[in-house]
Amino acid sequence: MNSWLMKASTKLIRKRYALFKNLIICLLVLSLTACGDKAIGKDVTIQLAEKVVQENNAQLSRKISEVAPPEIIQELRQSLEVYQPQVKILNPQPDEVLEVDKLKVNIQVKDLPIFKDGRYGKGSHLEVILDNQPQLEIYDLNQPLELSNLSPGTHALRVFASRAWDESFKNEGAYAQTTFHVFTKSDDNNPTENLPILTYNSPQGSYGAEPILLDFYLTNAPLHILAKDNPDNPIADWRIRCTINGESFIIDRWQSLYLKGFNEGKNWVKLEFLDNQGNPVKNVFNSTVKVINYEPKGKDSLAKIVRGELSAEDLRGIVDLNYAVEIPTEAAPETKLEEKSDKGGFFDRFKRGEKDKTPTPEVIETPQPETDLEETIPE
């Protein structure tokens, strides 16, 4: 009996040992499998990280990049911070229908002197845009602005105040727009008033130095801070997409940028107003393309300003209407008494009753320019 019990116990232990052994093996297999899953996941993570690094490197290798504004412009800009220009279009009247194909524009400006410095050809001015045509720069409000050969139909006129280096003032009231019609109304150039309007400002034309100003004006664009309170508003979290020579980047703030990396020669620049989902907001002028010309080592005033070849003191006249540059004059050479070739000196001539022939200097009064801050283009 005891012998049988011992054999049964031994057999049972062996079975349990085998079962325990199999259990241990299963646990080890499961553990290795889990470790294997973790290893695979780690490898994938590394691959994703490498992919992200490659994408970032691709972005960093892009040619166009933002840089700080030129130091001279930063210094000159402070002189204009005191102004909050107010621009108003007096003529044409909103929705006016003209019976001729020409128009005299009447614009009123308050709190900003409009002028051009005679030395460098720069100064605070107005940018006038008819439809989406090239801008007209207005430096003299006493000279009438006449638009002629206007095509029949609807036209939009946009005006905003600008600094001497073409950066727009962005305070409330610095921009004005109106719509008028030649002979009859049409669907062209007729922006929807309750939708945002993107006005392309810079760059335009030719440039002789980098960085180049990127500037635009926004109308009816809600503040980003209000986006959380208006989640159903599709344009509350708007963006501006800028594409230069095929390279695109997103701008989420309304301010001027200075860019470098332009090609020598022709470059194209496109600005688009986007909604919360990154889709273009359809409205007149919200997608504009311009072609500019970049030729390094330019000799124009703006190129010299950007390169820092002119001092802030030299350029004070482009931000201050009343600034007068003192031009040094050569001092008259001293004349010794014994070197005079007349018959005797002054006292000898006096004894002979002769008058002194030294001419009396003429005093010329220089008229001071008027500084009335309210100016209007006359009709």
Side-chain angles (χ1 to χ4, degrees):
M1 184 69 180
N2 292 336
S3 176
W4 181 83
L5 288 175
M6 290 180 63
K7 291 180 179 181
S9 298
T10 301
K11 188 176 180 179
L12 180 61
I13 291 172
R14 288 176 178 176
K15 288 183 178 181
R16 289 182 176 179
Y17 175 76
L19 181 61
F20 180 75
K21 182 179 178 180
N22 291 335
L23 180 61
I24 294 298
I25 292 173
C26 291
L27 291 174
L28 290 174
V29 171
L30 290 175
S31 177
L32 290 174
T33 303
C35 291
D37 290 340
K38 291 181 180 180
I40 293 174
K42 187 175 181 180
D43 291 340
V44 171
T45 303
I46 292 174
Q47 291 175 0
L48 290 175
E50 290 175 351
K51 184 177 180 181
V52 171
V53 170
Q54 292 174 357
E55 291 177 353
N56 289 338
N57 288 338
Q59 293 177 356
L60 293 175
S61 66
R62 288 184 172 182
K63 194 172 182 181
I64 300 296
S65 60
E66 181 185 2
V67 297
E71 293 183 4
I72 298 299
I73 289 180
Q74 294 185 52
E75 185 173 350
L76 293 174
R77 197 179 191 278
Q78 297 177 6
S79 301
L80 299 175
E81 294 297 326
V82 296
Y83 295 111
Q84 296 287 308
Q86 302 296 304
V87 179
K88 185 177 182 180
I89 301 175
L90 303 179
N91 188 61
Q93 294 295 314
D95 214 29
E96 180 179 355
V97 179
L98 305 178
E99 297 300 330
V100 292
D101 63 351
K102 60 182 179 179
L103 169 68
K104 286 187 177 181
V105 179
N106 188 9
I107 305 173
Q108 183 185 80
V109 180
K110 296 181 179 180
D111 199 21
L112 181 69
I114 303 298
F115 69 99
K116 177 185 286 189
D117 174 67
R119 191 177 181 188
Y120 296 109
K122 296 289 183 180
S124 299
H125 60 280
L126 297 178
E127 298 282 2
V128 180
I129 307 175
L130 176 65
D131 303 330
N132 219 14
Q133 298 178 16
Q135 298 173 191
L136 300 174
E137 295 184 344
I138 306 300
Y139 290 93
D140 187 358
L141 294 178
N142 294 319
Q143 296 295 326
L145 173 61
E146 184 171 317
L147 305 175
S148 58
N149 298 321
L150 298 171
S151 60
T154 299
H155 295 275
L157 190 67
R158 292 175 287 169
V159 183
F160 57 89
S162 178
R163 297 171 177 86
W165 48 93
D166 297 331
E167 178 189 352
S168 61
F169 285 86
K170 296 176 176 60
N171 60 278
E172 185 177 357
Y175 170 96
Q177 74 176 53
T178 191
T179 301
F180 65 96
H181 318 278
V182 176
F183 301 124
T184 185
K185 298 181 180 181
S186 67
D187 295 332
D188 300 328
N189 306 313
N190 195 5
T192 303
E193 294 183 358
N194 60 344
L195 289 179
I197 298 176
L198 171 62
T199 298
Y200 185 116
N201 178 33
S202 178
Q204 293 196 56
S206 298
Y207 295 86
E210 288 185 319
I212 295 176
L213 172 67
L214 174 68
D215 187 71
F216 52 89
Y217 199 96
L218 288 180
T219 312
N220 299 333
L223 298 175
H224 280 300
I225 196 173
L226 303 177
K228 295 181 180 180
D229 300 330
N230 298 275
D232 297 331
N233 188 343
I235 61 173
D237 197 19
W238 56 266
R239 298 288 188 272
I240 303 296
R241 179 164 59 204
C242 178
T243 305
I244 301 177
N245 299 329
E247 296 183 4
S248 297
F249 56 93
I250 299 298
I251 305 170
D252 61 358
R253 60 191 188 277
W254 182 23
Q255 68 181 57
S256 302
L257 305 177
Y258 278 87
L259 307 175
K260 67 177 184 178
F262 289 84
N263 299 327
E264 185 172 349
K266 300 294 183 182
N267 297 261
W268 63 271
V269 182
K270 182 179 182 180
L271 290 181
E272 301 171 275
F273 190 96
L274 308 179
D275 63 13
N276 300 356
Q277 304 300 320
N279 300 316
V281 176
K282 299 297 182 182
N283 200 9
V284 181
F285 316 130
N286 275 358
S287 178
T288 302
V289 183
K290 300 287 185 180
V291 176
I292 68 169
N293 188 50
Y294 171 51
E295 296 295 339
K297 302 180 181 180
K299 302 300 182 182
D300 59 287
S301 297
L302 181 58
K304 293 178 180 179
I305 293 172
V306 170
R307 288 196 298 265
E309 297 177 358
L310 302 172
S311 68
E313 191 64 25
D314 290 334
L315 296 167
R316 192 65 58 188
I318 72 174
V319 294
D320 185 355
L321 173 63
N322 298 316
Y323 180 77
V325 179
E326 294 184 1
I327 302 176
T329 57
E330 295 183 0
E334 296 182 0
T335 305
K336 298 180 180 180
L337 294 177
E338 60 270 16
E339 292 179 349
K340 292 184 178 180
S341 59
D342 58 353
K343 298 179 181 179
F346 170 80
F347 292 104
D348 293 333
R349 296 197 307 273
F350 179 79
K351 291 178 181 179
R352 293 194 300 268
E354 298 177 5
K355 295 183 179 180
D356 185 19
K357 298 180 181 179
T358 304
T360 303
E362 181 182 0
V363 179
I364 301 176
E365 296 184 358
T366 303
Q368 296 295 324
E370 297 181 1
T371 58
D372 187 6
L373 295 184
E374 179 174 347
E375 305 180 54
T376 304
I377 294 182
E379 298 187 19

